[in-house]
Amino acid sequence: MALNAARVSGARLSGAILALLVCLPTLAVLAVAISAPGPVKTAFFWDSVAGTGLQLLVGGGGALILGGAAALLVGTCRFPGVGLFSWTLVLPLVAPPYILAYAYSGLGGPGMPVRLEGPLAASLIYALACGPYVYLATRAALVSQSVCALEAARTLGASPLRAVVTVGVPLAWPGLAAGFALAAMEIAADYGAAAHFGAQTITTGVFRAWFAGQNPVGAAQLAALLVVTAGLLLALERRARGARGFAGGSSRWRALNPIALNGLSGWAACGFCALLTVLGAVLPFGYLVDLAVAAGDRIDWAGLVPAAADTLMLGVLGGSVTFTAAGLVALAAARGGRLGQLGLGAASLGYAAPGAVLAVGLLSLYGLLRQAGLVAGLGAGLGLFLLVWAYTARFTAAGAQPVAAGLERVTANMTGAARTLGAGFWARSLRLDVPLAAPSLLAAALIVFSEIVRELPATLILRPFGVETLATRAHALAADEQLAQAAAPALLILAIGVIPIVLLVAGIGRARAGQR
Amino acid sequence: MHRRALIRLFSPAALAMGLILAGCGPARAPAKTGEEQVVRVYSSRHYAADKALYAAFTEATGIKVETTEAGGEELLARLKQEGEASPADLIVTVDAGNLWRLTQEGLLQPHGDAEIDQSVPARFRDPNGMWVGFSKRARVIAYAPARISAAQVASLDDLTAPRLRGKVCARTSSNVYNLSLLASRIERTGPDAALAWARGVAANLRRNPPEGNDTAQLYAVAAGECDVALVNHYYLLRLRASTEARDVAAAAALAMVFPDQAGAGTHINISGAGIARHAKNRDAAVALLRFLVSVRAQGELGALNEEFPIRTDVQPAPALAALGAFREEDVPLTAFGARQAEALALYERAGWR
C-alpha cells in the first residue's frame, strides 16, 4: 500500500512537472506582459475585445450548434446516409480556418453572386472550421456513454426528437462543453481568417501592435488577455461538465441501438448533414481543386514532395510528443486531485494564444539560456526541439480536453474496485483508463496530428534551415498573392489530414468501450 | 495484451523524444574551405524569382544557398535571441523600414565591398554599408477607366476627394507598404498634413477595417465595388501576365497611374539585404549580395518578378518598360523606418483600421 501511495504521488508530481513544461512558453508571454509597469495603450482596444466576443458568440456558437446537432444525429439516430456523414462531417477539420477563408474569399469574392465579407464572413468560416471539434468531442462522449437511458426514453414513449433533446443532450454534455471550449480557444487565437475578412479581434490587435507598432509589450498584454479568456473558457467548461453528473451511467454495455428517423425527419437529418458537408468540405475543397487545375503546369508538384515529407515528419514527431503530454496531463487530472486539475488547466492555456506569440515566448526563453552559455545556436536539432515544444505548448489542450472528457467514463467505483484488486496507478491506467477512454484517445490523437500538420506561425518562426512544410509553402505563395499556385500545397495539407480521419472513423466504431 | 496496447500507444512518442534529444547537438559548424561552401539566408521575401536567382548564384560560384523564410518581424525576433550563435549569414527583406529596424537593432555589419557600392545609387543603400537595396517597387493607383479618368486620380491627394466616397479600396493600415507610404509623407509634408490625408482616405474607404491583400483590392475595382485601389505596381502586371480567365477579365478592366508626377513624385520602396552581424560565412554572403546587384541578376529579377532594377545601367523588363518612365518621390529611405511607429499612430487617429 505504501508503495502504491508513493507511485500515485510520483505520477501526480510528474503530471505537474509536465504541465509546467507545457505552459512555460505561455508563462514567458505573461512575463513579457507584466514587464511594463502598467497597461500599454493599444489602438482600437475595445473594438478588438468586442470583435473577439462577436466571433466567440457567432462563430463559436455556430460551431457548437452545427457540430453538436450533427454529432447527436449521427451518434444516436439512423437516417439515410448516416454512415457516410459520420466521416464527411469531420472533413473540415483538415482545413485550417486560413485555408477555408482563402477558398471562401474566392467563392464569395468581388463579382461573385454571393458576396462574403466582413466579420460575419469570418464567423461563418469559424463555425464551419471548428464545428468538427464539437462534433468529434460529442461523438466520443456519446460512444463512451451507455445508451440505455436513450432507449428507456423511447420505451417510455418519447418521440425521437424529444428523446434526443431531453436525454441525448445531457448525455452528450461533457463532449459539447469540451468541444465548445476547444472551438472557442481556436477561434480566439486565429489570425488568418479574421485578418482576411477584415474582422477586428484581439489577435489581429496583437499583430498590429507587434508588427506595425513595434510594441511587443502591448502585444504580449493583448496575448495575455487571450490566455485569460482561455482560463475563463476552461473554468466555464469544467463548471458545465461538473453540473451534469451523468458520467456514472450504467456499466452494462451493449451495441448501440439507434433511433430510426423515418420519412421526412430522416430526410431532414440527411439534408442537414449534407449541407454541412457541402459547405465545410465539398465547396471549398472543390474550389481549391479547380484553382490547382487552372494553375496547371505552373505548379511545382515535384518541389512539394520534400515539403510533404517534412510535414509528415513534424506531424508524427510533434503529434507523438504532444499526444503523450496531453494523455499524461489528462490522466494526472483525472487521478491526481486538485494539483492534477490545475496542471490540466495550465497546460491548456496555450491553446488560446496565437502560435507566433508562443513561439516568440519560447525564443525569449531560449535567449536567456543561450546568454547563460547553456545552449548553442538554433541549429537543426535545437530548432526542431523548440518547434516541437511550441506545438506541445499550443496543442496539448486539443488532446487533453477530449481525453479528460473520456476519462470521466471511468467511475470512482471502477477505480476503487481495481485498487482493491491490487492494481497500482500505472496498471489501472493501462487496464482500465486506456481501454475505456479509447474513443476519446483516438479523437485526441487525430485532432493533435491535424493541428500540427496545418500549423503555420510557430513553424514559420522556429523551423531549422531547409525545413519547409506544406503550410509554410502555401503561406509563401499566398503571401506573394499567388493564390492559384498556393492551392496545390493547401490541397496536400487536406490530403495528409484525411489519412488519420479514415483511421479514426474506422476506429471510433470499433473502439466502443466494453466490447474488448 | 493491454501492456502491448500501451507500448504501441507510447512507443512512437518515446522514439520521438529520443530523436529530438539526439538532434540537440550544437549548431552546424561554418563551412570550411575544401568542403562544400554554403551561405545561409534569412529572408522575408517569398518570391519564386529569388529561388531562381539563388540557383543561378550556386551554378556560377559553387556556393550552396540555404534559406529560411518568415515575416520580417519574426526574423528580427529570432536574430535578436540567437545573438552571436545565429547561423544566418545574409538577411533579405522587403521594405526599407525593415532594413532600418535591423540596422537599429545592431543585427547587420558593413559589407565593405566597393563593387557593390558602385553598382547601387547612394540613395538606395545605407551610408555605412549595412544594407543594400536590390529592387524597387512603386505604390500606384489602379483605377477603372470605364468609370473614372486618369486625370481624376493623378495624385494620392485625389483619393481624398468627396466624389470617391466608398469607392476607394486599400488594404489595412498596419500593412508595411501603407506604413512606409505614410512615413514618407510625414517626412515630406509634416504630421498634420499627413494626418489630414489619412483621414480623407479613411473616409472614402469602401470597407473599414479593410479586407484582403493588394490583389484583392484590384479584383474589387475590376468587379465594380471600388473605382480606385492603392497597390504595388507588380500586382497589376501579374494580372496582365496571367492566363486565367478571372485575371484576364480583371486586367482588361483596370489601368494604373504613377501618382504625383506633377508634384512630389511616386512613392518608391525597396527590397534589400545586409550581412548578418554574426555571419559565419561572411565572404560567401558578400559574394551573394554582390551577385544580387550584378547586371545579370538585376536583368533577371525584373523579368521574373516585375520589380524595377535598382541599377540605373540595367533596362527594366519589357512589361515594366511599357509602363513608361516616371519620377520618383525623393525622401530618404531611412525615414520609412524612423517614422513607422508615428505613421501607425496617425493612421489610428485617422480611423483607418
Side-chain angles (χ1 to χ4, degrees):
Chain A
M1 276 320 270
L3 189 66
N4 272 352
R7 271 191 200 157
V8 169
S9 64
R12 272 182 201 176
L13 198 65
S14 54
I17 291 171
L18 193 63
L20 186 68
L21 281 176
V22 168
C23 75
L24 213 51
T26 316
L27 294 180
V29 174
L30 295 181
V32 176
I34 57 169
S35 67
V40 175
K41 195 177 173 305
T42 44
F44 314 125
F45 176 77
W46 291 110
D47 290 0
S48 305
V49 172
T52 290
L54 175 83
Q55 295 307 331
L56 293 183
L57 207 67
V58 182
L64 177 67
I65 292 168
L66 298 179
L72 281 168
L73 283 174
V74 173
T76 62
C77 302
R78 195 174 59 227
F79 56 90
V82 64
L84 181 70
F85 293 133
S86 76
W87 72 273
T88 61
L89 287 166
V90 195
L91 279 180
L93 191 71
V94 304
Y98 67 84
I99 288 187
L100 279 185
Y102 150 65
Y104 267 103
S105 71
L107 284 167
M112 300 305 265
V114 180
R115 182 77 166 94
L116 284 175
E117 56 181 340
L120 287 177
S123 303
L124 172 72
I125 298 300
Y126 290 137
L128 292 174
C130 299
Y133 292 94
V134 182
Y135 173 80
L136 271 180
T138 307
R139 278 214 62 198
L142 280 175
V143 169
S144 298
Q145 293 286 350
S146 163
V147 287
C148 295
L150 211 57
E151 287 170 12
R154 289 287 287 141
T155 313
L156 292 170
S159 72
L161 184 70
R162 204 184 132 111
V164 168
V165 170
T166 57
V167 182
V169 169
L171 283 178
W173 195 256
L176 287 168
F180 176 73
L182 283 183
M185 286 197 278
E186 172 89 4
I187 291 168
D190 182 71
Y191 173 74
H196 204 104
F197 287 109
Q200 186 133 25
T201 63
I202 298 176
T203 297
T204 64
V206 167
F207 287 92
R208 170 178 277 270
W210 177 22
F211 285 6
Q214 295 158 30
N215 176 6
V217 178
Q221 289 183 349
L222 285 175
L225 196 59
L226 290 172
V227 173
V228 171
T229 309
L232 284 176
L233 283 166
L234 289 169
L236 269 177
E237 188 243 323
R238 262 191 63 71
R239 181 168 272 244
R241 209 195 280 173
R244 306 272 183 161
F246 295 99
S250 159
S251 50
R252 269 188 63 228
W253 296 94
R254 293 191 295 108
L256 189 80
N257 193 7
I259 300 168
L261 295 180
N262 296 319
L264 200 61
S265 57
W267 287 108
C270 171
F272 173 74
C273 293
L275 185 70
L276 269 189
T277 303
V278 167
L279 289 179
V282 176
L283 214 53
F285 298 3
Y287 178 74
L288 292 178
V289 170
D290 189 48
L291 269 187
V293 169
D297 53 357
R298 281 182 297 138
I299 291 175
D300 175 21
W301 289 102
L304 290 176
V305 173
D310 282 357
T311 304
L312 269 174
M313 180 272 288
L314 285 176
V316 171
L317 187 71
S320 313
V321 174
T322 306
F323 175 68
T324 309
L328 292 177
V329 167
L331 203 57
R335 303 284 167 268
R338 193 150 287 192
L339 184 67
Q341 288 289 351
L342 199 67
L344 174 62
S348 301
L349 290 178
Y351 197 50
V357 174
L358 283 186
V360 169
L362 255 180
L363 270 178
S364 54
L365 283 176
Y366 156 79
L368 288 178
L369 291 178
R370 188 189 58 76
Q371 276 158 17
L374 296 173
V375 291
L378 271 188
L382 200 54
L384 215 52
F385 180 77
L386 286 185
L387 186 52
V388 170
W389 195 349
Y391 290 152
T392 308
R394 177 123 164 67
F395 299 130
T396 290
Q401 295 299 329
V403 175
L407 284 176
E408 294 201 344
R409 179 71 216 119
V410 187
T411 63
N413 292 347
M414 295 182 195
T415 307
R419 193 178 287 200
T420 311
L421 293 171
F425 177 83
W426 292 111
R428 289 203 306 277
S429 305
L430 201 63
R431 306 176 71 165
L432 193 62
D433 300 336
V434 169
L436 281 177
S440 302
L441 285 173
L442 270 169
L446 164 71
I447 291 178
V448 167
F449 178 81
S450 300
E451 290 274 17
I452 293 175
V453 160
R454 66 199 215 183
E455 204 282 338
L456 179 63
T459 312
L460 212 50
I461 300 176
L462 295 172
R463 66 192 160 137
F465 273 105
V467 171
E468 173 125 77
T469 67
L470 293 167
T472 63
R473 195 74 216 112
H475 167 76
L477 290 163
D480 189 22
E481 308 194 8
Q482 315 225 18
L483 297 186
Q485 285 98 316
L491 278 172
L492 284 181
I493 293 175
L494 306 186
I496 287 182
V498 164
I499 300 168
I501 286 196
V502 173
L503 295 178
L504 173 85
V505 175
I508 251 188
R510 254 188 274 130
R512 270 190 64 76
Q515 295 192 336
R516 310 178 55 107
Chain B
M1 180 193 165
H2 290 311
R3 194 167 303 257
R4 248 190 295 138
L6 197 76
I7 289 169
R8 264 211 311 271
L9 204 60
F10 287 116
S11 59
L15 182 70
M17 292 273 197
L19 277 174
I20 293 177
L21 292 174
C24 248
R28 271 174 287 182
K32 296 182 189 73
T33 42
E35 288 177 20
E36 189 184 38
Q37 270 200 301
V38 65
V39 53
R40 300 197 169 98
V41 179
Y42 276 7
S43 175
S44 60
R45 274 169 62 97
H46 307 295
Y47 306 121
D50 292 21
K51 290 210 166 62
L53 283 185
Y54 298 153
F57 172 74
T58 302
E59 198 184 316
T61 61
I63 301 172
K64 209 177 139 206
V65 181
E66 290 182 2
T67 58
T68 287
E69 290 176 6
E73 206 66 26
E74 289 105 319
L75 289 180
L76 191 92
R78 182 167 166 162
L79 278 164
K80 272 163 78 171
Q81 297 301 342
E82 287 177 332
E84 65 212 33
S86 175
D89 298 315
L90 188 73
I91 322 291
V92 175
T93 185
V94 289
D95 189 81
N98 285 332
L99 293 166
W100 182 85
R101 291 279 314 281
L102 289 164
T103 313
Q104 290 298 107
E105 300 277 358
L107 297 169
L108 301 175
Q109 60 169 303
H111 59 77
D113 186 276
E115 193 186 321
I116 292 175
D117 281 345
Q118 279 159 19
S119 309
V120 179
R123 184 172 135 61
F124 296 120
R125 55 185 160 83
D126 179 63
N128 301 315
M130 296 296 192
W131 53 261
V132 176
F134 61 83
S135 75
K136 295 190 291 189
R137 58 269 305 274
R139 198 122 181 100
V140 303
I141 297 175
Y143 66 100
R147 298 189 293 281
I148 203 167
S149 75
Q152 288 174 304
V153 286
S155 164
L156 287 184
D157 293 318
D158 293 329
L159 298 185
T160 65
R163 81 179 117 82
L164 285 179
R165 183 118 324 163
K167 292 292 180 190
V168 175
C169 272
R171 69 202 291 176
T172 172
S173 64
S174 61
N175 174 261
V176 74
Y177 301 146
N178 284 344
L179 287 172
S180 286
L181 180 83
L182 192 63
S184 170
R185 187 170 271 261
I186 295 170
E187 179 78 10
R188 192 162 51 75
T189 68
D192 294 342
L195 175 63
W197 178 79
R199 276 215 174 102
V201 179
N204 281 350
L205 288 176
R206 174 176 176 270
R207 273 208 83 84
N208 194 10
E211 63 175 31
N213 51 27
D214 277 7
T215 306
Q217 316 304 324
L218 290 173
Y219 285 139
V221 175
E225 292 182 353
C226 288
D227 286 345
V228 294
L230 187 58
V231 296
N232 281 358
H233 75 277
Y234 47 88
Y235 293 116
L236 182 57
L237 293 191
R238 283 194 197 158
L239 287 187
R240 288 182 180 167
S242 172
T243 51
E244 282 159 45
R246 183 189 188 193
D247 296 346
V248 172
L254 294 169
M256 61 165 271
V257 289
F258 288 108
D260 296 301
Q261 289 305 292
T266 298
H267 174 73
I268 290 290
N269 208 328
I270 58 167
S271 285
I275 311 296
R277 168 89 189 279
H278 301 288
K280 310 291 184 289
N281 306 291
R282 191 185 136 74
D283 292 347
V286 173
L288 179 53
L289 190 55
R290 204 186 299 127
F291 177 79
L292 286 176
V293 296
S294 68
V295 171
R296 174 185 172 187
Q298 289 283 298
E300 285 178 16
L301 197 60
L304 288 168
N305 207 36
E306 292 101 8
E307 288 178 283
F308 294 102
I310 207 90
R311 292 179 73 119
T312 50
D313 58 349
V314 170
Q315 288 303 309
L320 288 165
L323 298 174
F326 63 98
R327 203 155 59 80
E328 300 174 1
E329 183 187 44
D330 187 20
V331 168
L333 296 188
T334 46
F336 296 7
R339 294 194 179 276
Q340 184 176 321
E342 192 183 351
L344 185 74
L346 284 194
Y347 274 134
E348 286 166 354
R349 273 177 65 194
W352 181 340
R353 303 294 176 100

